[in-house]
Amino acid sequence: MAPDISPIILLLASIFTSNILLANFLGMCSFITISKDLKSANGLGLAVILVMTVTTVINYAVYNYILVFFHIEYLRFIVFIIVIAAVVQMLEMIIERLSPALYMALGIFLPLITVNCAILGVSLFMQIRSYNFVQTVVYGLGSGVGWWLAILALAAIRQKVEKAPVPAGLKGPGITLIIIGLMAMAFIGFSGMLNVQ
Amino acid sequence: MGLDFLTAPLIVASISVILSVIISVIDMIVNNYGEVKLSINSGKKILTVKGGSSLLSTLGEQDIFLPSACGGRATCGVCKIKVKSDVGPHLPTELPFISKEEMQENIRLSCQIKVKTDLELEIPEELFAIQKYSTTVTSIRDLTPDIKEIKCTLKDSQQIDFRAGQYAQFVVPPYGKIKQETQRAYSIASPPGKKSELDFIVRLVPGGIATTYVFTVLKEGDTLDIIAPLGDFQLHGEHEDMLCIAGGSGMAPIQAMLFDMFEKKINGRDIYYFFGVATSKDMFYLELFRDLEKKWPVFHFVPVIAAPDSGSGWKGETGLVTQPLEKYLNDKLPEDKPKQGYLCGSPGMIDACIKVLTTHGIAEDSIFYDKFA
């Protein structure tokens, strides 16, 4: 049974209070490596929004109409990953043809997203929480937007930190992890405002 | 229902198959760019090609061979081409090879850009002469323990026009453990007067893919594909005295230039040829050039063996090639006549010789060289 949550609440929750990055800590690798400058962070963020929304919806259909029907729900990990890889491949080809400018902007980020665990995580949460179709769309989109906002925020902070006197041993990923920790603590402030778990 | 265990693998397999079919269909629809027109040198040549592949391979299929040492992997940066149409900003893979000036002129790496729309290109005329030739190996001869002379004849009575000093790329097919076709450059040692027979001098590089092929696999009568002519090492000027310096298999382009001049009866300039090798057994073509020296008064041959065998009775110059070079520059050559340097050999030898030549007042733009690593 789908939980009784209004789509608007779910959208806000997935963007802010249950931010996939800062509340669930998924998709950290690209979050740390691609957040050095705003432009790349923006490109990756937009690509994540697109891929996350599309794959969550497709995985919703695959799970509810194929896996459940054949009683092989336990294979969802493998099937979700296959679907994600294939969808990324298709999106890459279509975007290259339709909008070379967007393709150039996304660059290598699009294929990189195949191995972004946030994408798989959102598909799995969708299934574990048994969202209905509308909720799935909203949740996929919201999580993507949340990921995008979080990486933009981190990239902006890192550009400022660039000029700060960081101790040598903490430069790069070290200080970034500390920043992420502080951001996550700030996000704890949201907890309890909207409960979607 | 004993076959229940088959459901899961079958379903996963079908999902994968369906997805790959969808990908293939999308690929066919989306990557079908149809026929595309390439206009070369403002319309001098117009090619109609199938879009979708890289510019380098598209041109290759049309028998226009841009020089490319790495074969399209964006590691050599040689396959540059001027694209006048807009094909989007430079890719990250191109940037390491493109300077700021080149970027403004829209010079691109042809292996990295895809042919999608009609393109206007600029290709230097001389590149059209570059072709793939199929040859038959007529003779393989040991010159020294690690240098072989390869003679080959162009098939189907084809002829090749080239300048003395240019080189050819050997197309080495997959052999043994080498699974990929490889290309390596070798200077043409025969003069351009012979249009259907080419000579090469190949030194065995331990572990080298192409030289190992030439030394262990290639036999007389075999077919060898080459792409030629390439390179801009060639004769310059008319009156300056020439100091030719070669080491080991660096003999090839110098030999081609000298015999070309001899055949054309160019007698207006003195030519000194310093040819250096390491030991007595590494010396080759001694008689050939001593003979040339007798027939051609302006030609002076100075063979140098760094460390001759004590029993060999070597009466010529010894030491590194720079030592007799210095001696000749100090004592035997007229100081007032303008001179040029033509060098071919290892980077170390070339750098040492350039130093000697420049300290004796020869300007760097009068020194031409073909460095091989």
Side-chain angles (χ1 to χ4, degrees):
Chain A
M1 266 303 287
D4 184 22
I5 309 168
S6 123
I8 296 168
I9 300 289
L10 185 56
L11 181 69
L12 290 175
S14 51
I15 296 176
F16 297 108
T17 60
S18 309
N19 188 293
I20 191 77
L21 260 173
L22 296 168
N24 291 303
F25 294 101
L26 288 173
M28 290 303 271
C29 354
S30 37
F31 186 52
I32 293 172
T33 44
I34 314 293
S35 56
K36 280 188 203 103
D37 68 294
L38 261 173
K39 212 178 140 206
S40 314
N42 187 35
L44 181 64
L46 292 175
V48 166
I49 297 180
L50 180 68
V51 174
M52 209 176 258
T53 315
V54 174
T55 56
T56 315
V57 171
I58 293 178
N59 279 335
Y60 172 84
V62 168
Y63 181 80
N64 286 299
Y65 297 112
I66 300 176
L67 299 192
V68 170
F69 183 82
F70 289 102
H71 305 293
I72 48 169
E73 294 92 337
Y74 59 92
L75 281 175
R76 59 185 181 275
F77 280 79
I78 295 177
V79 173
F80 285 177
I81 280 286
I82 295 174
V83 169
I84 291 169
V87 167
V88 169
Q89 189 82 46
M90 293 175 208
L91 281 176
E92 196 182 355
M93 289 190 294
I94 295 172
I95 293 175
E96 185 182 3
R97 186 65 201 256
L98 294 185
S99 167
L102 180 63
Y103 182 73
M104 293 300 298
L106 296 181
I108 53 161
F109 301 131
L110 210 45
L112 210 69
I113 286 173
T114 311
V115 290
N116 188 328
C117 48
I119 309 276
L120 179 63
V122 168
S123 281
L124 289 171
F125 280 138
M126 169 273 293
Q127 177 264 318
I128 292 166
R129 297 174 191 166
S130 25
Y131 286 145
N132 64 26
F133 181 73
V134 177
Q135 287 169 332
T136 300
V137 175
V138 167
Y139 180 62
L141 176 69
S143 300
V145 172
W147 204 96
W148 172 63
L149 285 177
I151 197 170
L152 279 188
L154 179 64
I157 295 174
R158 284 186 73 176
Q159 286 197 340
K160 299 282 175 203
V161 170
E162 195 88 324
K163 296 187 180 72
V166 178
L170 274 180
K171 277 197 174 125
I175 191 73
T176 309
L177 278 170
I178 294 176
I179 295 169
I180 296 171
L182 293 173
M183 287 170 77
M185 279 161 74
F187 267 69
I188 289 179
F190 287 126
S191 63
M193 284 169 78
L194 301 164
N195 201 355
V196 296
Q197 301 298 332
Chain B
M1 291 295 278
L3 293 174
D4 264 0
F5 66 94
L6 278 178
T7 323
L10 277 178
I11 298 300
V12 175
S14 348
I15 291 177
S16 313
V17 168
I18 293 168
L19 287 171
S20 19
V21 167
I22 298 176
I23 289 182
S24 315
V25 170
I26 292 182
D27 186 38
M28 256 158 60
I29 300 169
V30 166
N31 279 344
N32 181 5
Y33 293 91
E35 301 224 308
V36 173
K37 273 201 179 107
L38 301 182
S39 159
I40 296 166
N41 296 351
S42 13
K44 270 192 190 159
K45 203 169 188 176
I46 293 179
L47 303 170
T48 312
V49 297
K50 223 176 137 273
S53 4
S54 80
L55 185 54
L56 179 72
S57 59
T58 308
L59 287 172
E61 278 164 26
Q62 300 295 319
D63 288 333
I64 297 173
F65 296 102
L66 300 181
S68 159
C70 67
R73 289 180 309 222
T75 55
C76 72
V78 180
C79 64
K80 285 178 188 169
I81 185 170
K82 187 166 179 176
V83 181
K84 286 173 157 180
S85 325
D86 183 25
V87 285
H90 285 76
L91 301 172
T93 41
E94 294 177 84
L95 292 177
F97 304 102
I98 309 275
S99 71
K100 262 194 185 149
E101 294 79 37
E102 287 176 327
M103 203 174 273
Q104 276 166 355
E105 285 184 44
N106 214 6
I107 304 269
R108 310 295 298 247
L109 283 195
S110 63
C111 65
Q112 293 302 301
I113 51 178
K114 228 173 164 182
V115 180
K116 295 180 192 169
T117 51
D118 293 358
L119 294 179
E120 267 196 56
L121 310 170
E122 227 170 76
I123 300 175
E125 285 292 335
E126 57 180 38
L127 286 187
F128 293 123
I130 302 173
Q131 277 187 42
K132 194 169 181 175
Y133 295 93
S134 199
T135 74
T136 310
V137 178
T138 51
S139 126
I140 301 179
R141 192 159 68 96
D142 283 322
L143 297 177
T144 77
D146 66 347
I147 294 182
K148 280 185 196 288
E149 174 202 73
I150 316 286
K151 282 181 185 287
C152 44
T153 311
L154 269 53
K155 283 188 179 170
D156 308 323
S157 54
Q158 276 186 299
Q159 299 205 322
I160 176 170
D161 282 309
F162 64 98
R163 293 187 308 265
Q166 287 193 296
Y167 67 88
Q169 300 252 34
F170 281 23
V171 181
V172 178
Y175 70 95
K177 283 184 185 161
I178 312 293
K179 298 277 178 270
Q180 260 189 331
E181 185 184 285
T182 325
Q183 292 191 12
R184 288 291 184 275
Y186 294 100
S187 290
I188 303 172
S190 49
K194 284 200 270 178
K195 287 185 188 299
S196 60
E197 286 165 43
L198 299 176
D199 296 356
F200 297 95
I201 296 172
V202 179
R203 187 176 72 85
L204 177 66
V205 179
I209 293 174
T211 59
T212 309
Y213 173 78
V214 170
F215 270 68
T216 58
V217 181
L218 198 66
K219 290 186 300 291
E220 289 177 9
D222 281 358
T223 295
L224 175 67
D225 287 342
I226 60 167
I227 293 171
L230 297 152
D232 49 14
F233 187 58
Q234 58 174 308
L235 199 62
H236 297 265
E238 286 178 356
H239 308 294
E240 299 90 338
D241 280 353
M242 290 167 62
L243 295 164
C244 303
I245 306 155
S249 58
M251 162 72 86
I254 306 278
Q255 182 190 5
M257 279 162 53
L258 294 176
F259 277 88
D260 185 37
M261 293 172 72
F262 175 66
E263 280 171 13
K264 289 181 179 156
K265 301 196 166 52
I266 297 175
N267 293 321
R269 54 208 297 193
D270 274 303
I271 301 150
Y272 296 85
Y273 181 21
F274 299 86
F275 177 54
V277 297
T279 62
S280 297
K281 65 178 192 324
D282 295 319
M283 182 52 82
F284 61 96
Y285 284 168
L286 205 54
E287 289 313 310
L288 184 72
F289 282 94
R290 288 210 167 128
D291 206 36
L292 183 68
E293 198 175 18
K294 276 177 207 152
K295 290 190 286 196
W296 195 22
V298 293
F299 177 63
H300 313 279
F301 183 47
V302 188
V304 190
I305 300 180
D309 294 348
S310 47
S312 67
W314 176 252
K315 293 196 186 74
E317 300 286 344
T318 58
L320 292 176
V321 78
T322 43
Q323 293 164 357
L325 176 65
E326 197 122 20
K327 202 163 89 184
Y328 270 70
L329 281 166
N330 285 336
D331 308 331
K332 303 205 174 174
L333 294 174
E335 245 175 71
D336 46 340
K337 259 185 109 175
K339 298 180 194 69
Q340 291 177 329
Y342 292 87
L343 323 179
C344 185
S346 63
M349 186 209 91
I350 289 188
D351 293 339
C353 290
I354 290 178
K355 224 180 200 173
V356 173
L357 293 176
T358 44
T359 50
H360 285 81
I362 298 173
E364 255 182 76
D365 57 4
S366 300
I367 302 173
F368 312 98
Y369 54 84
D370 201 354
K371 229 185 234 190
F372 51 77

